[in-house]
Amino acid sequence: RKEVEQDPGPFNVPEGATVAFNCTYSNSASQSFFWYRQDCRKEPKLLMSVYSSGNEDGRFTAQLNRASQYISLLIRDSKLSDSATYLCVVNRGTNAGKSTFGDGTTLTVKP
Amino acid sequence: DTGVSQNPRHKITKRGQNVTFRCDPISEHNRLYWYRQTLGQGPEFLTYFQNEAQLEKSRLLSDRFSAERPKGSFSTLEIQRTEQGDSAMYLCASSALGDTQYFGPGTRLTVL
């Protein structure tokens, strides 16, 4: 079993739709969590950190459920430009070096 | 451009040859990371440095792989006696103390 697991998708949604991705992690000692976005043949870029209380950035909302060891990303009012692969990232500690990435969930937003 | 830079961007080599990649991190970042990514997979951690000290190496990193960061600034990743299975995108990232990592554009390696 992988340390960080994501549904690979692909998720194909129309513009304006709401879409949610989940990610589960196996190491209960994990302390910090992130969502990165990766466009085709480009490097990953930080989308948002995930805090225990949940956090929102415009159309994007991230949630953390420590008891069930999963994090989620909700995208509201999808835009064509949201089409990308979304990577879930888990770190062992708030200041730990190693990051463990999931294999990503691919989203395609269609007109 | 003050982001992470990597050179070369593409490298094609024959099996058995040695290759070396370079990463220049964001200047004030003291942590530097190397990852490998293949198609359809997320980045896999290889190693990371804090300043010039290599603090962790993945078990994925065979004896053919070595990384250095001699003065705590740029880093090099060398692969000796390349194999076809080494073909991948090699990503470098840097961060200040803390977790937000900023990635470079990567070096795409093709081993023929």
Side-chain angles (χ1 to χ4, degrees), chain A residues 2 32 34 36 38 41 43-44 46 91-99 101-103, chain B residues 31 33 35 37 40-43 45 48 56 91 97-101 103-105 108:
Chain A
K2 286 198 168 189
S32 55
F34 307 87
Y36 276 71
Q38 187 170 28
R41 302 182 77 84
E43 72 273 21
L46 178 68
N91 284 9
R92 290 172 305 194
T94 55
N95 202 24
K98 177 183 173 181
S99 292
F101 284 72
D103 288 334
Chain B
R31 283 193 171 177
Y33 311 78
Y35 294 88
Q37 187 175 26
Q41 307 288 313
F45 172 81
Y48 90 97
E56 188 170 350
L91 291 162
L97 275 180
D99 295 308
T100 303
Q101 296 180 29
F103 282 82
R108 185 171 295 281

Side-chain angles (χ1 to χ4, degrees), chain B:
Chain B
D1 187 352
T2 56
V4 179
S5 62
Q6 293 187 244
N7 287 288
R9 296 291 306 276
H10 303 274
K11 179 71 178 178
I12 299 174
T13 191
K14 292 182 179 179
R15 191 176 52 188
Q17 298 295 303
N18 299 343
V19 294
T20 300
F21 309 141
R22 175 176 170 132
C23 171
D24 287 88
I26 294 171
S27 59
E28 62 268 26
H29 286 179
N30 56 1
R31 283 193 171 177
L32 186 149
Y33 311 78
W34 285 100
Y35 294 88
R36 178 173 65 190
Q37 187 175 26
T38 54
L39 195 63
Q41 307 288 313
E44 286 181 297
F45 172 81
L46 294 178
T47 188
Y48 90 97
F49 294 84
Q50 182 163 311
N51 301 313
E52 65 275 8
Q54 188 173 18
L55 296 188
E56 188 170 350
K57 286 175 62 172
S58 167
R59 285 169 292 184
L60 296 173
L61 220 61
S62 76
D63 291 344
R64 298 184 297 107
F65 288 71
S66 62
E68 293 183 343
R69 194 183 184 198
K71 296 183 180 179
S73 56
F74 73 91
S75 176
T76 57
L77 177 69
E78 181 183 17
I79 309 174
Q80 296 183 324
R81 305 181 302 282
T82 52
E83 302 172 355
Q84 287 185 325
D86 297 332
S87 295
M89 176 75 86
Y90 289 84
L91 291 162
C92 175
S94 70
S95 72
L97 275 180
D99 295 308
T100 303
Q101 296 180 29
Y102 297 87
F103 282 82
T107 295
R108 185 171 295 281
L109 173 66
T110 301
V111 182
L112 303 176

Side-chain angles (χ1 to χ4, degrees), chain A residues 83-97:
Chain A
S83 298
T85 296
Y86 291 84
L87 298 163
C88 170
V89 185
V90 174
N91 284 9
R92 290 172 305 194
T94 55
N95 202 24

